């Protein structure tokens, strides 16, 4: 597919997951045979009889032999319980030095048969104060179908994200839509629109002096990793995952 404004690096090759990047994650989770539970908003981590007691907003506390944290680094520092005192001062300073950009994403969904007449599947915008990226998502994923209407994804600039981080989402949505109309006036009216705030979008500064992960406690093992410890691209995620897996394996 034609991606307008893409900065191509020599020797690199870009891929698209037709069913979304989450399908790659779900594939590996299925391969693992693990039981996966979603929508557990973790709030507390504490030591209990040589195990980790993990509490979430909903449900009872649960005990684990090993805990791996891969949420954005600022959210690790917001956790309550024994973890507050387990993270030593040097580690805390390292974790606090990580920084992220913030942005909004807008999804526009169209009726079956709607036509979006642009010569690209996705486009990087360099001269707009609000919008940085537009994707005709079904084109980009190469999954155009007569049974499913097209969809468009819009990402805002980092500056716009910072300026409107605490603004009313309905107002932000209208602002983005008005800029989008100016950039792509031929867009038909969407059947539905979803606006998503992405407070921790991409890592602008990773946690320093760590090889893709950080051990917070050895016995039982409490370890953190993710793109906040490398960089915000697929390679960065894989690099951290490999480092986490090797460290966990050596502790089992």
């Amino acid at each position: 597919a034609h991606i307008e404004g893409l900065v191509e690096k020599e020797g690199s090759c870009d891929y698209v997951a037709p069913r979304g990047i989450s399908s790659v994650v779900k594939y590996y989770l299925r391969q693992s045979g693990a039981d996966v539970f979603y929508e557990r908003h973790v709030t507390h981590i504490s030591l209990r009889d040589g195990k980790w007691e993990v509490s979430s907003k909903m449900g009872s506390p649960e005990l684990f032999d090993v805990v791996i944290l891969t949420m954005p680094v600022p959210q690790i520092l917001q956790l309550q319980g024994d973890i507050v005192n387990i993270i030593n001062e040097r580690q805390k300073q390292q974790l606090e030095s990580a920084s992220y950009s913030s942005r909004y994403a807008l999804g526009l969904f169209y009726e079956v048969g709607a036509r979006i007449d642009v010569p690209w599947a996705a486009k990087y915008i360099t001269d707009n104060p609000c919008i940085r990226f537009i994707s005709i998502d079904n084109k980009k994923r190469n999954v155009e179908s007569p049974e499913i209407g097209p969809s468009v994804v819009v990402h805002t600039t980092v500056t716009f994200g910072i300026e409107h981080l605490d603004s009313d989402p309905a107002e932000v949505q209208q602002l983005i839509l008005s800029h989008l109309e100016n950039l792509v006036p031929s867009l038909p009216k969407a059947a539905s629109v979803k606006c998503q705030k992405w407070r921790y979008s991409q890592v602008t500064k990773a946690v320093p002096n760590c090889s893709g992960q950080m051990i917070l406690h050895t016995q039982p093992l409490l370890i953190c990793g993710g793109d906040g410890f490398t960089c915000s691209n697929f390679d960065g995620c894989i690099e951290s995952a490999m480092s986490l897996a090797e460290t966990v394996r050596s502790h089992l």
Side-chain angles (χ1 to χ4, degrees):
H2 176 53
I3 313 290
E4 200 170 292
L6 177 68
V7 179
E8 295 192 51
K9 292 177 187 160
E10 197 177 331
S12 75
C13 186
D14 296 313
Y15 294 89
V16 169
R19 285 172 296 169
I21 196 68
S22 69
S23 66
V24 179
V25 179
K26 287 169 185 169
Y27 169 81
Y28 283 112
L29 289 174
R30 282 197 304 273
Q31 296 288 99
S32 74
D35 292 324
V36 183
F37 299 90
Y38 297 98
E39 296 181 20
R40 299 288 202 275
H41 185 149
V42 172
T43 56
H44 292 68
I45 298 178
S46 294
L47 279 167
R48 288 285 180 275
D49 304 322
K51 291 183 184 287
W52 293 111
E53 184 182 73
V54 179
S55 304
S56 58
K57 274 189 176 175
M58 308 287 283
S60 307
E62 294 179 78
L63 292 174
F64 297 94
D65 298 306
V66 176
V67 170
I68 304 166
L69 303 171
T70 61
M71 69 269 266
V73 175
Q75 293 179 333
I76 295 173
L77 292 167
Q78 288 165 17
L79 291 168
Q80 299 298 302
D82 292 345
I83 188 171
V84 174
N85 299 317
I86 284 166
I87 298 173
N88 66 43
E89 198 53 43
R90 184 180 62 83
Q91 289 173 329
K92 192 176 177 213
Q93 285 175 1
Q94 282 177 274
L95 294 169
E96 284 174 342
S97 70
S99 59
Y100 291 74
S101 61
S102 299
R103 68 180 82 226
Y104 282 86
L106 197 69
L108 296 93
F109 304 92
Y110 297 87
E111 300 284 4
V112 173
R115 288 183 59 79
I116 300 173
D117 292 316
V118 292
W120 35 265
K123 182 176 183 177
Y124 286 91
I125 315 289
T126 54
D127 55 357
N128 186 278
C130 171
I131 294 174
R132 175 70 179 110
F133 176 77
I134 307 170
S135 165
I136 316 302
D137 229 42
N138 49 304
K139 252 193 195 181
K140 187 191 80 174
R141 297 177 183 213
N142 196 25
V143 289
E144 291 179 274
S145 162
E147 293 151 29
I148 302 167
S151 58
V152 171
V153 173
V154 178
H155 287 178
T156 66
T157 64
V158 171
T159 310
F160 180 90
I162 292 166
E163 286 172 357
H164 296 87
L165 196 58
D166 297 311
S167 300
D168 175 40
E171 287 177 20
V172 172
Q173 180 171 310
Q174 279 310 119
L175 266 174
I176 300 169
L177 285 170
S178 63
H179 279 276
L180 182 62
E181 200 173 306
N182 290 333
L183 288 167
V184 193
S186 63
L187 271 183
K189 184 171 172 56
S192 65
V193 180
K194 180 177 167 64
C195 186
Q196 181 77 43
K197 179 160 70 175
W198 207 356
R199 182 175 286 276
Y200 302 111
S201 170
Q202 288 168 300
V203 178
T204 51
K205 186 185 174 197
V207 176
N209 308 319
C210 62
S211 56
Q213 45 82 12
M214 181 187 283
I215 296 172
L216 302 178
H217 193 275
T218 311
Q219 291 295 343
L221 182 62
L222 175 61
I223 187 169
C224 48
D227 59 351
F229 295 79
T230 50
C231 58
S232 277
N233 58 23
F234 192 73
D235 291 340
C237 294
I238 294 295
E239 183 189 332
S240 176
M242 297 291 279
S243 181
L244 281 167
E246 182 54 39
T247 306
V248 172
R249 193 182 64 79
S250 66
H251 274 75
L252 294 178

